[in-house]
Amino acid sequence: MADKLIAVDDQTGKKRLIAVPSGIDPDVQTFTGDGTWTKPANCKQVRVILIGGGGGGGSGMYGTTGSQCGGGGGSGGQYIVKDFVATSLTATVAVTVGLGGAGGAAVSTNGYNGKDGADGGTTSFGTYAKAFGGKRGFGGARFKTGRSDFFVGIGGDAHALGSRGGHSKIGIGDTAADTINAPSSGGGGGGIATTAQSGGTGGVAQIGPGGSGGAGGFSRATGAGDSGIAGSTYGGGGGGGGASKGTASGAGGNGAAGVCIVVSY
């Protein structure tokens, strides 16, 4: 919680930022699912903290020969903080909390690319504020062009005040970068060239109530690839699944659901 609030002059209606007065006991309402916020009596200002649901990670490729690639990590949900004068809000406000996106399903048929994860849902405070969900990580895939042949699982793109999901590749999956203003994204799953590789590490949120991203799954030269780790609450992206040359690729990790926190003074 920041140490500044909106102060409103009762006579002129002018607004300015002031330090949080000592001795004030705020009303805090936390929504981890859909609900309705009710404005407390006599409150003057309201701070709304929103996090969108995290994107699901993609699953890895599966094949018995050649190179394979893990899935990309899902990106973290958007992180938004908005201040309001209490009189500008209605007596009740509908709250919608974005669900985390599902991770891509494991691939059990030889020679198939990984499956994409699903986008995270949007968290909203009526029509006053919204935080978009993280984007899905793409399944590990092989792409051919006239001049090149490459393998990649693309991590989910970031919204403003969000974080990008980690990519995957033939070698070790990319580690999702840390972020200072959003829930963090998942790491990319590991890939296989001649030896198995570990997945990337999910990013760790550095500010606010955001959750950490899930780590990417380990690839396996024999046996099933490991699944990506789910994002932690709130809004962390799921890790990408690992690749396999054995029985099945790893599934992508699920993104974590978002949250809405309303603090009234």
Side-chain angles (χ1 to χ4, degrees):
M1 186 67 189
D3 61 354
K4 297 289 186 182
L5 290 172
I6 298 173
V8 183
D9 188 303
D10 290 334
Q11 300 298 318
T12 66
K14 291 184 178 180
K15 294 177 284 185
R16 60 191 176 89
L17 287 176
I18 63 169
V20 176
S22 61
I24 287 183
D25 188 16
D27 175 271
V28 181
Q29 298 181 43
T30 299
F31 296 87
T32 56
D34 296 352
T36 301
W37 174 78
T38 300
K39 183 164 53 176
N42 302 318
C43 74
K44 298 294 185 182
Q45 50 242 348
V46 178
R47 171 161 290 177
V48 179
I49 301 166
L50 301 173
I51 296 177
S59 62
M61 295 176 64
Y62 168 42
T64 55
T65 60
S67 297
Q68 310 299 329
C69 184
S75 67
Q78 194 176 29
Y79 174 74
I80 297 293
V81 179
K82 293 193 73 172
D83 288 313
F84 299 92
V85 177
T87 54
S88 69
L89 302 175
T90 53
T92 60
V93 178
V95 174
T96 301
V97 175
L99 299 176
V107 176
S108 57
T109 303
N110 178 31
Y112 278 75
N113 292 329
K115 303 294 185 181
D116 297 346
D119 294 343
T122 298
T123 297
S124 60
F125 181 72
T127 59
Y128 299 104
K130 67 174 59 177
F132 293 108
K135 302 299 290 183
R136 66 189 183 278
F138 291 87
R142 180 180 184 182
F143 298 91
K144 283 189 173 183
T145 69
R147 296 185 177 182
S148 62
D149 185 1
F150 60 97
F151 299 77
V152 66
I154 301 171
D157 289 335
H159 290 289
L161 298 182
S163 52
R164 180 187 65 80
H167 296 334
S168 62
K169 47 195 175 185
I170 293 300
I172 188 170
D174 284 354
T175 294
D178 287 346
T179 178
I180 60 171
N181 58 5
S184 289
S185 56
I192 305 171
T194 56
T195 58
Q197 297 285 348
S198 63
T201 301
V204 178
Q206 300 293 311
I207 192 170
S212 299
F218 197 95
S219 64
R220 301 286 176 180
T222 57
D226 289 352
S227 295
I229 303 301
S232 68
T233 54
Y234 301 106
S244 175
K245 287 185 180 178
T247 56
S249 69
N254 295 331
V259 70
C260 172
I261 302 171
V262 188
V263 185
S264 306
Y265 293 85

